[in-house]
Amino acid sequence: KKANRQDTVLVVPPYPYCIEEDRHAVDLEDCWTARPQLFFSCHLRPNGGRKPTDGRHKIGPDDLRYNLIFFSTFKELTLPIKGPMEDAGVVKLYEPSPTQCLYVAHAQNMVGRIPLMPCFLDGNATPTIPHKYSKNKNSCFLAGCADAAAEDGRRGSNVYEVNPWLWQFGSGKPHLGGLTIEETSDRQDASRKASDKRRKETREGRRGS
C-alpha cells in the first residue's frame, strides 16, 4: 500500500472544538494533525446582511470573504506496545479508514508542517495496523481498521510516527532575517495589531465625517 505524499500540517481545531479567539493561545498539544485536501475561498453573509442590489451579482455589500481549508485528520494510536519508541515518547498516529474524518477551518488556522514517517509496527510488512491488534479497535483506533487476517487481504489504516528530531531541527538553515520563530511570531502579532488599529481609526473617521 503506497503512502500518500501530501504534506501534513498542524491545525488549530475549528469551533466548537476550540473556542480560543487567538490561535496563538492554543497549545501545540491541543492542535490536530491534518492532511490538506483543498484550499478555497468563499463569501459568507452575516445575519441581516444586505443582498446585492444588482440581480446579476451574487456578492452583497456586507458579505465577508474567507480563505478556508478542507482537511482530513489523523488520530493518535495508543496500542499496548512496549519498546524503545514508547520509552522515547514517540507519538504514533493512524489515518482513519475506510471513512475519513473531514473538517473545514480558516486557512490561517494552519500552524505549520509536521514531519510524519511511515511506521512499521512489530515488523509488519506494511506501515499499517497489524491484524494482531484488531481486538483493540474499540479502545485504540475506533475510527480505523486493522489488517485482514489473510496476507493478501485488505490492508488496515496507515500508521505514522511523528519525527520530533526533524521537527526540532528542520533543514538546519537560519530563519529569514536571522529571527527566531518566537521573534517572528511577535513581529507578526505587532503588525496585525497595528493593522487592526489603523482599520479602527479609519472606520471611526468615516463615522465622524
Side-chain angles (χ1 to χ4, degrees), residues 158-174:
N158 286 325
V159 180
Y160 302 86
E161 61 178 284
V162 179
N163 188 323
W165 300 277
L166 182 59
W167 199 0
Q168 181 176 358
F169 298 108
S171 63
K173 296 181 180 179

Side-chain angles (χ1 to χ4, degrees), residues 39-84:
F39 293 92
F40 65 100
S41 299
C42 69
H43 287 82
L44 301 178
R45 183 168 301 157
N47 290 332
R50 292 169 293 173
K51 297 181 178 179
T53 54
D54 191 330
R56 295 172 298 176
H57 299 161
K58 295 183 179 180
I59 301 175
D62 299 323
D63 292 359
L64 303 174
R65 178 184 172 90
Y66 287 95
N67 295 318
L68 304 174
I69 174 178
F70 177 59
F71 62 92
S72 58
T73 59
F74 296 77
K75 293 185 177 295
E76 186 170 357
L77 183 64
T78 55
L79 293 173
I81 302 176
K82 293 183 179 180

Side-chain angles (χ1 to χ4, degrees), residues 6-15 17 31-40 68-74 95 100-107 109-110:
Q6 288 175 282
D7 285 337
T8 50
V9 299
L10 274 185
V11 174
V12 174
Y15 182 86
Y17 303 98
C31 291
W32 292 352
T33 302
R35 192 188 299 282
Q37 303 291 343
L38 178 68
F39 293 92
F40 65 100
L68 304 174
I69 174 178
F70 177 59
F71 62 92
S72 58
T73 59
F74 296 77
E95 207 161 9
Q100 294 180 314
C101 297
L102 301 169
Y103 298 89
V104 173
H106 292 284
N109 278 27
M110 289 189 300

